[in-house]
């Protein structure tokens, strides 16, 4: 009898604690989630870029989600160079075709994958980009060749709306 | 437990008191049944969509809604236009953007992320175009008026001829629900003014109700999730309170004192 | 303070506790002997702690999104309400939380008044409490300015102008407060800074308030000194913790009802109109919790004296332990005081009511009478009552029966029932 009573008491206290803990967790979530991107930020997820005036060999930098995006119209030599690289030489093997849908246009996030600096255009040992912060060298396909960065520069989602316009995001 | 009841009584008195003092200077407004009132209140989607139509076709030529974006029209708990519809609505407005690479402003069709296009560039321009009276921004209008939705609903239907002996200046109209009865907005609604896509008859009463519902949503876009979350929260708290109550009884049963 | 020496069981616990006796503190708080006859009016201390923490947490979160600039404050609040994830929830909790905080603090204060908790040896607890209350009013006022609506702006204008009543330097002080020639952006930014600061001051004072409480221990409904620990006390944990927890949950249900179903009912519609220095709202009223003092301010036809009266109405409370000359604490054993107590409650409610009404005609007359009575209660009634009142016999302990075997707790309870409806 008295053992039974103890059990019931244990159950009551356990249930109270459990239900209380669920509530506490439910209250914590809004306080955390409020720091995530808000609805207005999420809505600005895409940018359209006019590329009609770009000649081969020119790079422009546009702002997308607060970060720079490099858009380079590559020359035929550069395309050939990018395609000729042996994948075994790469730290993060990726074919150039997979990085540039249209080989003439390279659209990539201009953020060094090491610690987030913006690499410099047409610098470094591989005729591509060079990050001045900690010395990462990228090739003309934006692939990491030398230095501390672990991966190639990221390719955002983008599409050609028409011949003159790229939509990023 | 008894003293808890006393405390509850105080709460109720306090609550009743605050309601009463808020409604001290109340005028009898026209009544209608609002779908969004009550513990489970939700917006009537049809009314919101029609209300948006009335706002766009009638109100928006003078009244801005600067805190709303076209994306809101497709969001859950709102008029819930489809994404395609909302995009089409946005694209039907010309939005000023820029500066472009030449340093000039340009116009382009609206996008979902754009705010509602404003009828005037600034308050002064709005005043100049409306005989000195600024048509208030409608984003939070319902919450900015003591009578709330009932007031707006009544005001839209409150135009009458002034009582004998009352003289009105040019551009001033008589409205029996307006504070001081003088309003600078002329009567805007007349039967059949807009043509509803869903076949609803566009009477003045219907349009007033629809546009007021729309304004309520504009001011409280999260009303539905608030009501849903509130119900869950109160059910949860009640369950936990009961559990804690019995736990308390158990614990205090160890000593001989009434809790 | 601590009635027993505490030694941690584990070796590390002992090592740590010798260097920073946090475990001793925790043990003291857990075992703290509390009178076992505390009724639910005593749970509001815990509820107030909850209110303070809620306001601080939600306030920190809001400050991550709020922009303290005259051109952007109103917009940023709307941004919080519309776009920030759960922003509407957090803001409504914060806004209604202020009202709930004051509701709880008024109950807490009036509990002290009824049971004589401010009397020796608890004067310091009481005075710290009054300072906390003053800071709460300051924080609430400053916070109300931040959304930069019409009531924010004109409330700030009216309240800061109170300082202009000070002879000679008043005008200079007001300009200094504003950082300009009217309430404007500099005012808003400094108000935001102070609004952010004050809750932490309150938190510090709350620690002192509780510390000072733990020296003599809690008062109790019977109002007698009790031996601690004894048959009359229970350890704070779990007895008082669970009871406070139960009351807190009840309180939270009411709180939730306001937040989820009538979030704007305690606010004023005009505050959803952006601040406009050219137009004053037709009817300026402060938030409900300041109304009694607002009524006192308006009931005096002189600017300076009105401000003085309003301030005295609060500061007079600090002198209460010496104004009340009765040796008996609890109103349970003071039949006359009990009646005056309820008259005072009614008086304050009346002041609150007329504070919300226009200051004219009958309202003004009522406000004046009520103001006069408020001061009369503290300055005349209480001092005289201590000498004249014939009090009831007070029991020697909470549990032990005296008076021919009748259990005194029951007696005390009966008396209480007669009075506290």
């Amino acid at each position: 009898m008295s053992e039974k009573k103890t059990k019931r008491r244990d159950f009551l206290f356990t249930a109270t604690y459990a239900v209380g803990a669920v509530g506490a967790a439910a209250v914590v979530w809004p306080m955390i989630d409020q720091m995530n991107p808000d609805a207005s930020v999420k809505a600005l997820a895409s940018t359209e870029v006019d590329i009609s005036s770009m000649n081969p060999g020119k790079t422009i930098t546009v702002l997308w989600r607060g970060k720079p995006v490099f858009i380079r119209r590559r020359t035929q030599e550069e395309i050939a160079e990018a395609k000729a690289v042996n994948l075994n030489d790469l730290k993060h093997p990726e074919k150039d075709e997979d990085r540039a849908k249209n080989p003439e246009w390279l659209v990539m996030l201009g953020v060094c994958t090491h610690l987030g600096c913006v690499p410099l255009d047409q610098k470094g040992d591989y005729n591509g980009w060079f990050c001045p912060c900690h010395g990462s060298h990228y090739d003309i396909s934006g692939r990491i060749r030398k230095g501390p960065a672990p991966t190639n520069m990221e390719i955002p989602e983008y599409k050609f709306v028409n011949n003159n316009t790229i939509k990023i995001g | 437990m008894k003293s808890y009841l006393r405390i509850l009584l105080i709460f109720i008195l306090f609550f009743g008191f605050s309601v009463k003092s808020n409604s001290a200077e109340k005028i009898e407004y026209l009544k209608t049944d609002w779908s969004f009132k009550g513990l489970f209140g939700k917006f009537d989607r049809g009314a919101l969509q029609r209300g948006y139509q009335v706002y766009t076709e009638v109100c928006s030529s003078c009244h801005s809604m600067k805190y709303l974006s076209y994306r809101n029209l497709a969001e859950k708990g709102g008029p819930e236009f489809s994404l395609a519809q909302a995009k089409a609505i946005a694209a039907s407005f010309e939005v000023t953007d820029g500066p472009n690479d030449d340093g000039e402003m340009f116009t382009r069709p609206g996008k979902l992320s754009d705010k509602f296009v404003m009828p005037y560039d600034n308050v002064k321009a709005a005043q100049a175009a409306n005989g000195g009276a600024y048509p208030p921004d409608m984003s939070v209008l319902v919450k900015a008026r003591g009578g709330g939705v009932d007031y707006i609903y009544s005001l839209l239907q409150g135009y009458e001829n002034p009582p004998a002996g009352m003289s009105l200046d040019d551009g001033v109209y008589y409205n029996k629900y307006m504070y001081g009865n003088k309003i600078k907005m002329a009567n805007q609604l007349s039967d059949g003014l807009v043509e509803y896509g869903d076949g609803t008859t566009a009477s003045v009463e219907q349009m007033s109700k629809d546009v007021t519902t729309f304004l309520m949503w504009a001011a409280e876009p999260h009303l539905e999730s608030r009501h849903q979350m509130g119900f869950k929260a109160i059910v949860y708290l009640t369950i936990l309170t009961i559990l804690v109550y019995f736990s308390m009884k158990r614990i205090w049963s160890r000593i001989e004192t009434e809790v | 303070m601590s009635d027993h020496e505490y030694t941690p069981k584990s070796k590390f616990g002992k090592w740590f506790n010798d260097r920073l006796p946090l475990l001793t503190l925790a043990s003291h708080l857990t075992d703290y002997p509390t009178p076992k006859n505390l009724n639910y009016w005593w749970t509001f201390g815990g509820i107030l702690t909850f209110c303070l923490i809620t306001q601080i947490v939600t306030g920190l979160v809001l400050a991550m999104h709020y922009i303290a600039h005259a051109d952007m404050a109103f917009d940023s609040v709307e941004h919080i309400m519309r776009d920030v994830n759960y922003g509407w929830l957090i803001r409504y909790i914060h806004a209604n939380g202020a009202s709930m905080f004051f509701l709880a603090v008024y109950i807490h204060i009036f509990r002290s008044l009824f049971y004589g908790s401010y009397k020796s040896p608890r004067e310091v607890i009481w005075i710290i409490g009054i300072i906390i209350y003053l800071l709460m009013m300051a924080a609430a006022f400053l916070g109300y300015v931040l959304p930069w609506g019409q009531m924010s702006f004109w409330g700030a204008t009216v309240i800061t102008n109170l300082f202009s009543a000070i002879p000679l330097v008043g005008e200079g002080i007001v300009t200094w407060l504003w950082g300009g020639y009217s309430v404007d952006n500099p005012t808003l930014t400094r108000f935001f800074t102070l609004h952010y600061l004050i809750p932490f001051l309150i938190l510090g004072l709350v620690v002192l308030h509780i510390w000072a409480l733990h020296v003599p221990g809690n008062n109790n409904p019977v109002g007698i000194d009790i031996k601690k620990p004894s048959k009359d006390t229970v350890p704070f944990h779990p007895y008082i913790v669970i009871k406070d927890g139960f009351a807190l949950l009840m309180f939270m249900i009411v709180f939730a009802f306001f937040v989820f179903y009538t979030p704007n009912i305690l606010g004023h519609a005009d505050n959803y109109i952006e601040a406009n220095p050219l137009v004053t709202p037709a009817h300026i009223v402060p938030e409900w919790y300041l109304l009694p003092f607002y009524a006192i301010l308006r009931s005096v036809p002189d600017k300076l004296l009105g401000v003085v009266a309003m301030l005295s109405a609060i500061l007079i409370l600090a002198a209460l332990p010496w104004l009340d000359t009765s040796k008996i604490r609890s109103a349970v054993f003071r039949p006359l005081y009990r009646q005056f107590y309820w008259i005072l409650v009614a008086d304050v409610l009346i002041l609150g009511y007329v504070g919300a009404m226009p200051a004219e005609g009958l309202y003004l007359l009522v406000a004046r009478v009520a103001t006069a009575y408020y001061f009369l209660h503290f300055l005349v009634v209480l001092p005289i009552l201590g000498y004249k009142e014939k009090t009831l016999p007070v029991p020697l302990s909470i549990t032990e029966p005296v008076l021919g075997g009748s259990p005194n707790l029951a007696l005390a309870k009966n008396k209480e029932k007669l009075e506290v409806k």
Side-chain angles (χ1 to χ4, degrees):
Chain A
M1 171 66 202
S2 95
E3 198 176 284
K4 217 175 173 182
K5 208 174 173 187
T6 317
K7 266 190 187 151
R8 212 168 59 209
R9 178 190 299 170
D10 285 348
F11 172 74
L12 177 64
F13 291 160
T14 311
T16 309
Y17 276 123
V19 174
V22 169
V27 169
V28 168
W29 173 243
M31 302 297 156
I32 294 170
D33 192 37
Q34 52 85 18
M35 282 169 72
N36 277 319
D38 66 48
S40 63
V41 173
K42 284 185 200 148
L44 291 172
S46 72
T47 307
E48 288 188 5
V49 186
D50 180 10
I51 51 168
S52 57
S53 58
M54 281 177 70
N55 293 320
K58 190 183 173 193
T59 304
I60 58 165
T61 308
V62 295
L63 200 66
W64 175 67
R65 290 185 175 172
K67 288 178 184 165
V69 171
F70 295 151
I71 300 176
R72 181 168 180 86
R73 183 167 187 183
R74 300 192 294 189
T75 60
Q76 289 307 319
E77 300 86 68
E78 286 171 344
I79 297 171
E81 187 191 328
K83 286 187 191 292
V85 175
N86 182 350
L87 287 192
N88 292 328
D89 296 345
L90 295 175
K91 194 175 187 178
H92 176 197
E94 265 186 313
K95 285 187 197 157
D96 186 58
E97 296 92 290
D98 296 338
R99 293 180 58 79
K101 291 179 216 166
N102 176 348
E104 213 181 331
W105 296 95
L106 177 68
V107 180
M108 95 187 149
L109 218 51
V111 177
C112 178
T113 56
H114 181 221
L115 292 170
C117 297
V118 178
L120 303 170
D121 189 22
Q122 300 293 288
K123 285 262 167 65
D125 299 352
Y126 294 88
N127 192 23
W129 285 268
F130 170 71
C131 180
C133 292
H134 305 94
S136 292
H137 299 258
Y138 297 88
D139 66 15
I140 194 63
S141 189
R143 293 175 292 199
I144 179 67
R145 303 300 289 270
K146 195 169 112 185
T151 58
N152 304 336
M153 280 196 266
E154 210 181 306
I155 306 292
E157 216 170 280
Y158 68 92
K159 65 177 181 198
F160 290 87
V161 180
N162 53 45
N163 285 340
N164 292 330
T165 316
I166 297 179
K167 185 181 174 193
I168 307 169
Chain B
M1 201 59 203
K2 272 172 199 145
S3 68
Y4 169 68
L5 290 177
R6 286 177 210 144
I7 294 175
L8 195 70
L9 189 74
I10 300 265
F11 274 131
I12 293 164
L13 282 178
F14 162 75
F15 183 57
F17 188 70
S18 62
V19 175
K20 213 174 155 235
S21 65
N22 274 13
S23 58
E25 45 200 310
K26 198 163 193 166
I27 316 162
E28 272 307 307
Y29 294 124
L30 296 175
K31 292 278 177 246
T32 185
D33 51 323
W34 300 110
S35 64
F36 48 81
K37 297 244 157 134
L39 293 192
F40 304 101
K42 285 183 173 202
F43 290 113
D44 172 355
R45 305 281 159 237
L48 283 182
Q49 297 197 355
R50 291 192 299 271
Y52 172 71
Q53 189 184 348
V54 175
Y55 168 72
T56 319
E57 292 180 15
V58 185
C59 322
S60 72
S61 53
C62 298
H63 291 276
S64 60
M65 254 188 165
K66 60 180 175 178
Y67 297 118
L68 273 85
S69 306
Y70 294 111
R71 65 186 159 84
N72 296 137
L73 294 172
E75 278 167 7
K76 207 172 164 293
E80 295 188 4
F81 285 107
S82 71
L83 212 56
Q85 282 175 315
K87 274 184 182 163
I89 288 171
S92 69
F93 292 92
E94 289 247 302
V95 175
T96 308
D97 200 349
N100 61 15
D101 292 343
D102 302 324
E104 278 157 19
M105 303 302 279
F106 59 94
T107 59
R108 57 164 175 79
K111 294 192 284 195
L112 284 182
S113 57
D114 287 320
K115 298 265 186 212
F116 277 22
V117 174
M118 310 248 276
Y120 303 104
D121 288 339
N122 50 55
V123 174
K124 292 276 181 211
Q127 284 173 330
N130 289 282
Y134 168 60
D137 183 87
M138 282 184 162
S139 313
V140 283
L141 192 68
V142 167
K143 291 199 280 188
R145 296 292 180 270
V149 280
D150 293 327
Y151 168 76
I152 307 271
Y153 177 69
S154 306
L155 185 91
L156 287 170
Q157 301 172 65
Y159 286 91
E160 279 178 1
N161 289 325
M166 187 180 205
S167 70
L168 294 172
D169 294 340
D170 246 13
V172 176
Y173 307 89
Y174 181 84
N175 187 308
K176 66 176 170 174
Y177 297 107
M178 180 74 185
Y179 183 72
N181 296 125
K182 288 179 183 172
I183 186 167
K184 288 209 169 177
M185 175 175 81
N187 188 7
Q188 298 295 326
L189 298 178
S190 55
D191 287 336
L193 181 69
V194 299
E195 199 172 314
Y196 282 140
D198 61 1
T200 309
T201 313
S203 62
V204 168
E205 196 186 334
Q206 183 68 39
M207 287 187 285
S208 304
K209 189 173 174 180
D210 291 343
V211 80
T212 309
T213 306
F214 177 72
L215 291 179
M216 182 67 201
W217 165 76
E220 276 285 308
H222 297 291
L223 179 135
E224 288 189 9
S225 42
R226 173 154 65 75
H227 284 178
Q228 284 160 10
M229 198 187 291
F231 182 71
K232 284 184 207 153
I234 287 172
V235 167
Y236 166 81
L237 284 171
T238 310
I239 292 170
L240 185 61
T241 308
I242 292 168
L243 282 172
V244 168
Y245 176 75
F246 285 110
S247 297
M248 177 176 74
K249 281 289 177 194
R250 276 289 154 75
I251 288 170
W252 278 80
S253 69
R254 295 172 197 166
I255 52 165
E256 290 164 16
T257 301
E258 188 199 333
V259 180
Chain C
M1 270 173 71
S2 192
D3 299 291
H4 62 296
E5 280 304 313
Y6 171 78
T7 327
K9 287 196 188 83
S10 75
K11 234 178 163 181
F12 174 73
K14 196 173 173 326
W15 179 88
F16 184 84
N17 203 50
D18 286 345
R19 281 146 186 86
L20 180 66
L22 272 186
L23 293 169
T24 304
L25 176 67
S27 153
H28 161 76
L29 293 176
T30 317
D31 298 341
Y32 171 66
T34 317
K36 68 182 190 182
N37 62 336
L38 295 188
N39 57 32
Y40 281 101
W41 298 111
W42 259 267
T43 61
F44 281 86
I47 287 172
L48 283 163
T49 314
F50 163 80
C51 288
L52 178 62
I53 291 168
T54 305
Q55 290 305 88
I56 288 180
V57 171
T58 53
L60 284 175
V61 164
L62 289 171
M64 294 181 189
H65 303 281
Y66 172 75
I67 302 168
H69 188 286
D71 295 338
M72 284 177 274
F74 193 85
D75 291 1
S76 72
V77 171
E78 275 309 308
H79 170 67
I80 290 169
M81 292 297 290
R82 286 161 196 276
D83 291 336
V84 173
N85 304 321
Y86 297 105
W88 60 269
L89 175 64
I90 296 162
R91 176 169 174 259
Y92 277 154
I93 291 177
H94 196 73
N96 286 284
S99 280
M100 300 311 286
F101 205 157
F102 275 96
L103 177 64
V105 91
Y106 282 126
I107 295 176
H108 193 64
I109 291 172
F110 275 98
R111 189 268 292 156
S112 285
L113 292 178
F114 188 83
Y115 293 109
S117 301
Y118 47 85
K119 290 188 200 183
S120 172
R122 298 185 180 81
E123 301 95 324
V124 173
I125 313 174
W126 172 256
I127 289 170
I128 293 173
I130 296 298
I131 299 171
I132 292 174
Y133 174 52
L134 277 170
L135 286 176
M136 275 176 66
M137 290 200 276
F141 160 68
L142 294 170
Y144 196 57
V145 176
L146 302 185
W148 212 237
Q150 275 287 70
M151 277 293 162
S152 301
F153 183 90
W154 292 100
T157 302
V158 168
I159 300 292
T160 47
N161 263 316
L162 290 180
F163 290 90
S164 70
I166 303 170
L168 301 175
V169 291
E171 290 296 336
I173 288 177
V174 173
T175 313
W176 174 75
L177 281 174
W178 287 341
Y181 301 104
S182 66
V183 174
D184 206 340
N185 194 46
T187 327
L188 178 59
T189 41
R190 65 191 58 179
F191 276 23
F192 179 55
T193 312
L194 295 172
H195 181 68
Y196 207 120
L197 168 71
I198 288 177
F200 296 98
L201 297 180
I202 294 178
L203 190 64
L205 285 166
V206 166
V207 171
L208 295 183
H209 194 63
I210 295 172
W211 186 0
L213 169 72
H214 280 221
V215 176
N218 287 70
N219 183 27
N220 65 77
V222 184
I224 53 170
D225 291 324
I226 51 171
K227 262 199 271 162
K228 300 169 299 171
S230 73
K231 271 184 141 181
D232 286 347
T233 66
V234 290
F236 190 77
H237 181 78
Y239 296 95
I240 303 300
V241 169
I242 190 85
K243 194 170 172 177
D244 278 1
F246 171 66
L248 174 61
L249 282 164
M250 292 286 197
F251 183 80
M252 282 167 79
I253 292 175
V254 179
F255 196 158
F257 187 81
F258 276 103
V259 168
F260 291 108
Y261 290 108
T262 56
N264 291 309
I265 199 160
L266 298 170
H268 199 290
D270 277 327
N271 226 27
Y272 279 104
I273 303 172
E274 195 169 354
N276 180 355
L278 299 177
V279 185
T280 308
H283 190 43
I284 293 196
V285 281
E287 294 284 79
W288 67 268
Y289 39 79
L290 302 176
L291 287 174
F293 300 107
Y294 191 59
I296 291 175
L297 170 75
R298 294 192 307 183
S299 69
V300 181
D302 178 85
K303 186 171 173 179
L304 178 60
L305 290 181
V307 177
V308 168
M310 184 176 73
L311 284 177
S312 325
I314 304 166
L315 294 179
I316 202 169
L317 292 171
L320 185 57
W322 298 275
L323 289 173
D324 184 349
T325 51
S326 174
K327 294 277 175 282
I328 306 295
R329 289 200 193 98
S330 174
V332 172
F333 305 103
R334 299 182 61 189
L336 269 178
Y337 172 69
R338 247 176 355 215
Q339 290 171 26
F340 283 109
Y341 171 84
W342 288 110
I343 294 172
L344 179 72
V345 172
D347 188 60
V348 172
L349 288 177
I350 289 167
L351 279 172
Y353 180 75
V354 292
M357 295 295 132
E360 58 200 22
L362 187 63
Y363 292 127
L364 192 58
L365 182 70
V366 172
R368 283 181 178 158
V369 173
T371 301
Y373 182 78
Y374 181 90
F375 286 103
L376 203 70
H377 175 90
F378 290 107
L379 294 175
V380 180
V381 174
L382 284 186
I384 294 176
L385 211 55
Y387 299 110
K388 299 282 177 195
E389 187 175 30
K390 203 166 168 322
T391 56
L392 302 173
V394 176
L396 294 171
S397 95
I398 295 171
T399 37
E400 282 162 38
V402 284
L403 297 178
S406 79
N408 266 283
L409 185 61
L411 177 82
K413 275 191 173 292
N414 277 339
K415 293 289 174 201
E416 203 188 324
K417 258 175 214 157
L418 285 175
E419 210 37 61
V420 191
K421 276 173 282 183

